Amino acid sequence: MTLTLYGIPNCDTVKKARNYLDGRGLGYHFHDYKKAGVTAADLERWSEVVGWERLLNRAGTTFKKLPDADKADIDAAKAIALMVANPSMIKRPVVEGGKALLVGFTPAVYDAELL
């Protein structure tokens, strides 16, 4: 199974996920949102599986700093547009590969889905 781990290199949760994968010998490609961005097509595909609500990181400072008008009346299309424009608003990490699509990092979930 080929995995892709999407995230930002300096994110603590992404570092934990990378350490987890490295420690178990699971190979992956790292996709850096800051350098490579993210496409609306990727976000739409992920949203169909896990829901845009799970992908949108409302707890982060990037989202909190948005004008109130941008935070109001969010639907899938608006959430995806916000995440494309501001990849820091995507909950991290996203791991995709095989049948797995994982959002965030929980070791027990990774164990169940990847091992």
Side-chain angles (χ1 to χ4, degrees), residues 34-106:
K34 294 286 187 181
K35 292 181 180 174
V38 64
T39 67
D42 286 335
L43 290 164
E44 289 166 3
R45 186 177 72 252
W46 298 342
S47 293
E48 289 175 10
V49 177
V50 300
W52 66 265
E53 299 90 340
R54 181 136 183 243
L55 288 171
L56 182 63
N57 181 8
R58 295 175 191 241
T61 56
T62 304
F63 184 82
K64 289 179 181 179
K65 289 181 179 179
L66 286 175
D68 289 340
D70 288 344
K71 293 188 266 188
D73 302 320
I74 295 180
D75 60 9
K78 187 173 182 180
I80 288 169
L82 286 169
M83 290 185 280
V84 167
N86 303 287
S88 295
M89 281 192 230
I90 303 167
K91 185 166 182 173
R92 298 176 300 269
V94 173
V95 175
E96 182 176 40
K99 294 182 181 181
L101 180 63
L102 309 174
V103 179
F105 176 67
T106 305

Side-chain angles (χ1 to χ4, degrees), residues 4 12 16-17 36:
T4 301
D12 288 339
K16 290 176 187 176

